[in-house]
Amino acid sequence: MKDVVAAYVGLTKPRVIELLLLTTVPVMFYAARGVPDLGLVVATVVGGTFSAGSASVFNCVYDRDIDEQMRRTRRRALPRHIVTARSALVFGFVLGILSTVILYLWVNPLSALLSVTAIAFYVFGYTMLLKRRTTQNIVWGGIAGCFPTLIGWTAVTESLSWTPVVLFMVVFFWTPPHTWALALRYREDYANVDVPMLPVVKPAAEVGRQIVLYSWVMVATSLVLWPVADTSLFYPLAAAALGAVFLVQAHRMWARARGTESLSVIQPMQLFHTSNLYLSLLFVAVAIDPLISR
């Protein structure tokens, strides 16, 4: 029973959920210009967790054929046949329905609608349409992962504005460097299952160049929040410092990738871990800013 429960939890991709919630709750702090209502935060977090989990489960069901062949994913529940595809599908629908009901009743209809849209985009847009067809899969498919910024804002304000849109775009430009660094590490896996991730079809130097370009746009976009949201000086200083660290890491990886395809030299996972830390601390800064500027 313990193994089965762990398998179902694994289908929801908890690490991905952690990142998504990290871009939800801080936005709620900024929207509330302080500490938001605890009950509202709990409802949004629970609904958001079920929503992200539902999308991940559907992704696992659809991709179970390639997950079984990839080193990174072959230990998941479906490739190991701990959970059947039918059971996983039912689980995904249950999570999706629960998330929609929770967000609709205890948050608001707009947040519920955005949640359903994110699930649909991840399943139909990324997983079924883009992932196996184009190198731009993660660029446009990554839009689904940007929705938590909108959901966090609308949970508090029940409306949209430019502030969450700017944060949406920060996550949008962050996703390719983050994902391509990981895909570079596992490019043989993706090549073996004919998934055309950018590191599969382009040399490492070109991947590094694309990562640097997206990183510069990401950092520039993060600084746009300052005038748009009228933050205190704390946020732009934090964003600039974090962005500088990210850009240094991105340029270093690009430099290491020139003239070699050796992963031991390129060390893409350094940038991958840096990207996780960058996004986490940037959104922590978003949450802190209204608390110190009150």
Side-chain angles (χ1 to χ4, degrees), residues 210-230:
Q210 291 285 338
I211 284 176
V212 165
L213 289 175
Y214 273 92
S215 298
W216 273 100
V217 178
M218 174 194 71
V219 173
T221 304
S222 73
L223 293 172
V224 171
L225 188 67
W226 179 22
V228 168
D230 192 26

Side-chain angles (χ1 to χ4, degrees), residues 50-85:
F50 288 167
S51 175
S54 172
S56 293
V57 172
F58 289 135
N59 172 265
C60 287
V61 172
Y62 189 84
D63 280 348
R64 63 190 185 279
D65 58 328
I66 61 176
D67 282 350
E68 195 166 357
Q69 302 176 58
M70 296 176 64
R71 286 179 301 159
R72 187 173 68 87
T73 56
R74 63 190 177 195
R75 300 297 297 169
R76 288 176 177 171
L78 288 169
R80 293 171 63 196
H81 305 288
I82 298 176
V83 177
T84 66

Side-chain angles (χ1 to χ4, degrees), residues 97-226:
I97 293 169
L98 284 175
S99 71
T100 305
V101 170
I102 290 170
L103 291 173
Y104 187 91
L105 294 180
W106 287 287
V107 182
N108 58 66
L110 179 56
S111 296
L113 176 61
L114 289 170
S115 170
V116 172
T117 303
I119 295 173
F121 197 94
Y122 186 71
V123 175
F124 297 108
Y126 172 65
T127 302
M128 299 178 68
L129 180 63
L130 296 171
K131 183 175 180 178
R132 307 191 192 198
R133 289 180 172 85
T134 172
T135 58
Q136 294 297 299
N137 49 18
I138 198 59
V139 176
W140 300 108
I143 288 175
C146 305
F147 273 83
T149 60
L150 305 182
I151 294 171
W153 183 271
T154 58
V156 175
T157 66
E158 300 187 25
S159 64
L160 286 170
S161 73
W162 285 110
T163 297
V165 171
V166 171
L167 293 170
F168 179 102
M169 295 307 299
V170 171
V171 180
F172 176 79
F173 291 118
W174 168 87
T175 301
H178 168 77
T179 308
W180 286 336
L182 182 66
L184 187 57
R185 167 66 178 83
Y186 292 100
R187 61 185 175 185
E188 291 183 6
D189 269 0
Y190 287 109
N192 289 337
V193 294
D194 296 322
V195 174
M197 299 295 286
L198 186 67
V200 172
V201 300
K202 296 291 183 180
E206 175 60 19
V207 176
R209 187 182 75 86
Q210 291 285 338
I211 284 176
V212 165
L213 289 175
Y214 273 92
S215 298
W216 273 100
V217 178
M218 174 194 71
V219 173
T221 304
S222 73
L223 293 172
V224 171
L225 188 67
W226 179 22

